[in-house]
Amino acid sequence: AQSVAQPEDQVNVAEGNPLTVKCTYSVSGNPYLFWYVQYPNRGLQFLLKYITGDNLVKGSYGFEAEFNKSQTSFHLKKPSALVSDSALYFCAVRDRELTGGGNKLTFGTGTQLKVEL
Amino acid sequence: DAGITQSPRHKVTETGTPVTLRCHQTENHRYMYWYRQDPGHGLRLIHYSYGVKDTDKGEVSDGYSVSRSKTEDFLLTLESATSSQTSVYFCAISEPRTSGTDTQYFGPGTRLTVL
């Protein structure tokens, strides 16, 4: 079974400060990990993914995420937050060892990021 | 949202009526998915398709059926809508993992209200 947890329903940060949105996962094998962002009344937009290799993954809009196997975490980070980053962020996981099953993802419950002036 | 459209975008219906939502893609991706999004639950997979006429259940498939008669279209049907099916429905597409481009891409969503 695969699962993912986003322990914070909401994260508040001041513009210009660094931000972190937390994600931990559980899989039987090795993970594929994804971050998506959702703006109001829009679909989910892909930000970045970890497949293998470098533990620090860089994505769209200046976001990056760090894969930590020992802590089973994949936290999303940005060095300097913008008001326009305010949105709902989802972490998702798929067990790399699972074959078939249509590449199903399991999503977290989402974290609302609010960036204030 | 490019390459994926969903129709209708908004729908209000009454309990007990049938409802069909359509997902259309122009990317020729093999896999298609239907999710529902509810507060506190994130996205949950309803059904998915791994090819024309090939579909399988997700984690919340009760009360839903799907059909895929051609690559570009994936239909989600609520045979008899209930208030618990009030939600926002998202379609997604992807290619097989072996293609190396297996990221799922999402449509704009359909907001369904069942009265």
Side-chain angles (χ1 to χ4, degrees):
Chain A
Q2 55 192 34
S3 65
V4 62
Q6 294 181 243
E8 301 156 317
D9 291 336
Q10 182 160 321
V11 170
N12 297 319
V13 64
E15 188 174 55
N17 284 0
L19 69 87
T20 299
V21 182
K22 295 179 180 178
C23 171
T24 59
Y25 67 90
S26 175
V27 295
S28 301
N30 292 299
Y32 290 135
L33 291 156
F34 301 79
W35 276 103
Y36 288 84
V37 60
Q38 184 181 34
Y39 298 100
N41 301 311
R42 300 290 298 276
L44 276 69
Q45 296 179 27
F46 168 71
L47 274 180
L48 52 81
K49 68 180 178 182
Y50 171 79
I51 301 297
T52 188
D54 194 346
N55 289 342
L56 185 64
V57 179
K58 294 187 182 297
S60 306
Y61 313 121
F63 284 93
E64 58 188 27
E66 186 168 12
F67 171 64
N68 187 318
K69 187 171 183 177
S70 63
Q71 297 186 4
T72 61
S73 67
F74 189 56
H75 300 331
L76 181 69
K77 300 181 180 183
K78 188 175 182 181
S80 179
L82 299 172
V83 171
S84 58
D85 293 330
S86 298
L88 185 59
Y89 290 81
F90 289 98
C91 181
V93 69
R94 184 171 74 243
D95 190 330
R96 194 190 310 174
E97 314 309 326
L98 291 180
T99 58
N103 296 341
K104 288 184 287 185
L105 290 177
T106 298
F107 285 83
T109 53
T111 298
Q112 186 70 48
L113 175 65
K114 186 173 183 180
V115 182
E116 300 169 309
L117 291 170
Chain B
D1 299 355
I4 310 169
T5 56
Q6 293 184 231
S7 59
R9 294 293 312 279
H10 303 270
K11 186 171 182 66
V12 179
T13 191
E14 295 188 350
T15 298
T17 60
V19 176
T20 295
L21 309 182
R22 180 181 183 238
C23 176
H24 179 79
Q25 60 145 330
T26 58
E27 306 296 327
N28 202 36
H29 279 27
R30 179 177 165 188
Y31 292 168
M32 298 185 75
Y33 312 81
W34 277 108
Y35 292 89
R36 59 178 291 174
Q37 182 181 15
D38 304 287
H41 291 279
L43 275 78
R44 293 179 292 175
L45 183 65
I46 304 171
H47 281 281
Y48 65 98
S49 169
Y50 47 96
V52 174
K53 299 190 187 303
D54 292 324
T55 65
D56 205 350
K57 297 179 180 180
E59 62 178 304
V60 290
S61 59
D62 287 349
Y64 302 95
S65 62
V66 290
S67 66
R68 190 166 178 204
S69 59
K70 45 187 178 178
T71 299
E72 57 265 37
D73 289 326
F74 193 31
L75 303 181
L76 177 71
T77 297
L78 291 66
E79 301 290 348
S80 178
T82 68
S83 59
S84 64
Q85 294 175 312
T86 292
S87 187
V88 181
Y89 291 86
F90 288 100
C91 174
I93 64 174
S94 78
E95 284 285 76
R97 179 173 56 184
T98 52
S99 73
T101 58
D102 58 349
T103 300
Q104 290 187 23
Y105 296 95
F106 285 78
T110 294
R111 184 173 296 275
L112 176 67
T113 302
V114 183
L115 302 176

